Amino acid sequence: MTSSVAAPHPGLSDSPFLRAARGEEPSRTPVWFMRQAGRSLPEYLRVREGVGMLESCMDPALTTEITLQPVRRYGVDAAIFFSDIVLPLKAVGVDLDIVAGVGPVVASPVRTMADVEAIPDLTPDHVPFITEAVRSLVSELGATPLIGFAGAPFTVASYLVEGGPSKEHAKTKAMMFGAPDVWDALMHKIGGIAAAYLSVQVAAGASAVQLFDSWAGALTPEDYRASVMPHSARVLAAAGELGVPRIHFGVGTSNLLGLMGEAGADVVGVDWRTPLEAAIPLVGDRAVQGNLDPTLVFAPTEVMLSRAEAILEAGRSARGHIFNLGHGVIPSTDPDQLARLTEFVQGWQR
């Protein structure tokens, strides 16, 4: 396996997604969906039958197939690399698993400086299956961009410290407030892993990256700025040096949108709780992504499309707008509704 980077497909220069992400004028508003590759698709359920989540993510052929499924079905303007935010930790040797109905579970939660120091740094040699999958995808996708993906330091740290998903993040904040040296070392470690993981994906051909900070909404702006933002900024700065657009997304982050943009994003993802017209002034001279309530796909089609049109209209005032849901596709979503939504957005005139 060589380390050379393949030349990008010539059609990528006209990609509506990439043009909007860079703040350029696209031919139309682009659309893709977070969690578009996954449990809402019957073809996904078929190929995943009997195969664990992490096992799926470490199988290049299966990762390629799953990532391509929504592109084939919907004709969306970008593919999102099928992975999981804890996969890089698994790859460097952290003892964890993804438990059905629970989420990531860490066998020995991180609590001390020794625990942090025991986590290896990630190198491309830890994730050869990622390089293989991305190269395969880029070859298959042609002029459709592939978005690389990583979990942001705070969210990944929360899983490591809590030992699994948490609503209160009490142990995480206890470390942040009570053992700031351990916290800083852990965030630095995870940030380095995330940056390296994104670098592997871009080197193999990914055209953009998204940093997911699912739990950042649990923080005040002051705590985010002091204890989290510098580490996310380091990841985003490293991605920026790779020359690809950077999307930064968090859930429940209405009070953090400006800071998340300042951390180094080219595009700030907005969840459904914040009206897009209110978010745009907060993010500064940046593009926005979002932000239809994921439950609206269960509404009558005309209601869903009416709400989508309002978001498209609001997006006109942004430096760039990438249409998306305000969070991931809900597993019980009817794929036909997403097909109707995609067709509507792609046919809407800016």
Side-chain angles (χ1 to χ4, degrees), residues 73-248:
R73 181 183 273 266
Y74 304 129
V76 284
D77 293 300
I80 178 71
F81 186 64
F82 177 75
S83 187
D84 189 273
I85 61 173
V86 299
L87 181 65
L89 298 177
K90 181 73 171 180
V92 300
V94 175
D95 187 0
L96 60 83
D97 197 9
I98 297 179
V99 178
V102 178
V105 175
V106 179
S108 299
V110 172
R111 301 288 162 76
T112 67
M113 188 67 80
D115 294 337
V116 176
E117 292 170 349
I119 302 172
D121 295 325
L122 185 139
T123 71
D125 291 338
H126 285 112
V127 287
F129 48 89
I130 298 296
T131 297
E132 183 179 345
V134 171
R135 286 178 174 169
S136 172
L137 278 163
V138 170
S139 175
E140 292 277 351
L141 286 165
T144 300
L146 175 67
I147 306 169
F149 152 84
F154 177 79
T155 292
V156 176
S158 178
Y159 284 116
L160 281 174
V161 175
E162 303 286 342
S166 169
K167 292 182 179 179
E168 294 82 15
H169 310 285
K171 295 183 179 71
T172 306
K173 292 184 180 183
M175 178 185 287
M176 187 171 71
F177 299 136
D181 55 335
V182 179
W183 174 256
D184 189 69
L186 177 60
M187 293 288 278
H188 194 273
K189 172 69 69 173
I190 296 170
I193 289 173
Y197 188 56
L198 292 176
S199 177
V200 167
Q201 294 171 67
V202 174
S207 299
V209 296
Q210 176 156 312
L211 191 66
F212 284 83
D213 212 349
S214 306
W215 307 133
L219 297 163
T220 66
E222 293 77 14
D223 292 334
Y224 179 84
R225 184 190 290 276
S227 302
V228 174
M229 183 176 168
H231 302 283
S232 292
R234 191 164 66 94
V235 179
L236 291 164
E241 291 175 2
L242 303 173
V244 297
R246 301 154 296 175
I247 308 168
H248 198 187

Side-chain angles (χ1 to χ4, degrees), residues 27-116:
S27 57
R28 54 175 169 75
T29 301
V31 53
W32 71 280
F33 304 111
M34 290 181 283
R35 293 185 189 154
Q36 64 189 15
R39 292 171 290 174
S40 65
L41 296 179
E43 55 265 43
Y44 169 84
L45 297 174
R46 284 194 295 270
V47 299
R48 273 289 316 279
E49 189 172 359
V51 184
M53 178 62 180
L54 290 174
E55 184 183 350
S56 302
C57 296
M58 298 170 82
D59 180 330
L62 190 53
T63 299
T64 299
E65 168 60 21
I66 291 171
T67 303
L68 289 172
Q69 285 176 348
V71 180
R72 294 192 201 111
R73 181 183 273 266
Y74 304 129
V76 284
D77 293 300
I80 178 71
F81 186 64
F82 177 75
S83 187
D84 189 273
I85 61 173
V86 299
L87 181 65
L89 298 177
K90 181 73 171 180
V92 300
V94 175
D95 187 0
L96 60 83
D97 197 9
I98 297 179
V99 178
V102 178
V105 175
V106 179
S108 299
V110 172
R111 301 288 162 76
T112 67
M113 188 67 80
D115 294 337
V116 176

